[in-house]
Amino acid sequence: MLFKFTAITAALVASASAHMTMSDPCPRFSASCVTKPPALPAGASWDYNIKNPIPSDGILCKSNTPWPSPVATWTAGQSITVHFLNNDAAHGGGHAQFSVSYDGGKTFAVVYEVLRYFFFNGPSDSNTPEVLDYTFTLPKELPNSESVVFAWSWVNAIGNREFYMNCADVAITGSSSSSYTGKQMVIADHNGYPTIPEFNGNYDTGINYYEDAPMVTVSPSGSYASSGNSTSSEASATGSSDDATSAAPPVGHGAQDESSSVQDEAPVSSAPAVPEPTTDDSAPKSTGVNGSDAESTTDSDPGSRKCRYRSS
């Protein structure tokens, strides 16, 4: 069941956002989750703009403050499904990664990626997503921890150059490993990082950043750069038909100043401070195909590209 606000708050959310967001596991301070989110930490606010891209000078996870308790508990090596909201703007696909951090969001190692056609089964100029569920197996080497940051990041194919990222706080159990080594998460179209231009039909645009990614090791006791590049089998899980992986940012890019977080992008004042949940059994689910080796589907409706134009 989809967690929803009152009609007034739902209208505010719809008017404030027109992009994409992870809804399971529940991102930090999101009101648009498959299950009811935990109570907000002291001083935090609901993120009514959860679907929006990260501002160019904004905090990557949109907040450095975690949920007070994990929103999911996973076993290392298990299969998980990440779900995204429907009826939003998928910008023709693009490159996406799922990553984990053990140092509070300073260093992310990739556990799975889908390059080129994320939200789609092949090339598309549509804003309507075809794929909303991504199922993959967590590496068995992920160490146990009650405070793992699980991130989804995305560089869109069509429209303004934007970087999307949601972070959920999860627990990992059942592992005998003390560390995990994988490719470093790519950050692009964000202040101080490379710009990946609009794809314009070329879905290899920016792929070199993923193919040339350095390796990082993450663990509860510390994170550090590893020797070698992304050819290591430990980090090469991918949802693309090519074994693609990036010239990524430096290890420990740092937790940015919380002053630029989403809390400062205050929702319209008429929104309730604490939402009153209702349930909706009609939440759409769409089991997707991971990656580019599915049959290509193209939606050529030019009206679907409404988010191509820069908003004020």
Side-chain angles (χ1 to χ4, degrees):
M1 293 187 296
L2 180 66
F3 179 82
K4 298 186 72 175
F5 288 143
T6 61
I8 292 177
T9 305
L12 290 172
V13 172
S15 65
S17 37
H19 302 287
M20 299 298 295
T21 182
M22 183 170 68
S23 60
D24 187 22
C26 187
R28 287 177 179 173
F29 314 152
S30 171
S32 302
C33 296
V34 169
T35 57
K36 183 177 179 180
L40 285 174
S45 302
W46 293 108
D47 184 356
Y48 299 120
N49 299 312
I50 189 66
K51 301 176 190 176
N52 287 0
I54 303 294
S56 61
D57 59 350
I59 294 171
L60 290 178
C61 279
K62 303 188 83 176
S63 175
N64 293 327
T65 304
W67 285 115
S69 59
V71 297
T73 298
W74 295 331
T75 302
Q78 83 166 77
S79 176
I80 66 167
T81 297
V82 180
H83 181 66
F84 293 83
L85 285 187
N86 201 355
N87 300 321
D88 297 312
H91 294 286
H95 310 315
Q97 294 179 315
F98 298 98
S99 309
V100 293
S101 173
Y102 283 78
D103 59 6
K106 296 178 182 178
T107 310
F108 284 92
V110 176
V111 296
Y112 190 73
E113 66 181 8
V114 179
L115 303 181
R116 300 176 177 85
Y117 311 127
F118 197 77
F119 294 125
F120 294 92
N121 294 319
S124 177
D125 63 359
S126 175
N127 259 333
T128 302
E130 297 170 349
V131 182
L132 293 173
D133 288 343
Y134 283 92
T135 299
F136 55 91
T137 300
L138 294 172
K140 64 182 184 299
E141 298 87 0
L142 293 181
N144 296 335
S145 175
E146 290 291 315
S147 54
V148 178
V149 183
F150 176 79
W152 161 68
S153 56
W154 173 44
V155 171
N156 54 305
I158 295 173
N160 298 335
R161 305 326 300 144
E162 297 166 332
F163 185 70
Y164 294 80
M165 186 173 181
N166 291 163
C167 294
D169 299 286
V170 304
I172 300 293
T173 64
S175 176
S176 59
S177 176
S178 61
S179 66
Y180 168 71
T181 299
K183 63 175 95 168
Q184 190 171 349
M185 183 187 77
V186 175
I187 302 173
D189 300 333
H190 185 70
N191 190 32
Y193 295 94
T195 297
I196 295 179
E198 192 171 16
F199 289 14
N200 291 318
N202 178 7
Y203 280 82
D204 284 336
T205 301
I207 210 74
N208 58 299
Y209 291 108
Y210 297 82
E211 292 176 339
D212 299 333
M215 304 297 285
V216 293
T217 296
V218 295
S219 75
S221 60
S223 303
Y224 53 90
S226 301
S227 60
N229 57 23
S230 60
T231 58
S232 168
S233 60
E234 210 169 28
S236 62
T238 176
S240 171
S241 60
D242 299 314
D243 184 17
T245 8
S246 146
V251 174
H253 52 69
Q256 296 107 312
D257 185 356
E258 192 80 45
S259 63
S260 62
S261 75
V262 69
Q263 281 90 324
D264 290 338
E265 298 179 11
V268 179
S269 60
S270 61
V274 178
E276 299 178 3
T278 60
T279 58
D280 182 358
D281 293 324
S282 63
K285 284 277 187 174
S286 173
T287 301
V289 179
N290 296 336
S292 63
D293 45 5
E295 180 179 354
S296 296
T297 302
T298 302
D299 183 348
S300 59
D301 177 13
S304 67
R305 302 184 68 179
K306 60 185 178 182
C307 284
R308 178 183 179 89
Y309 305 103
R310 186 175 302 279
S311 58
S312 58

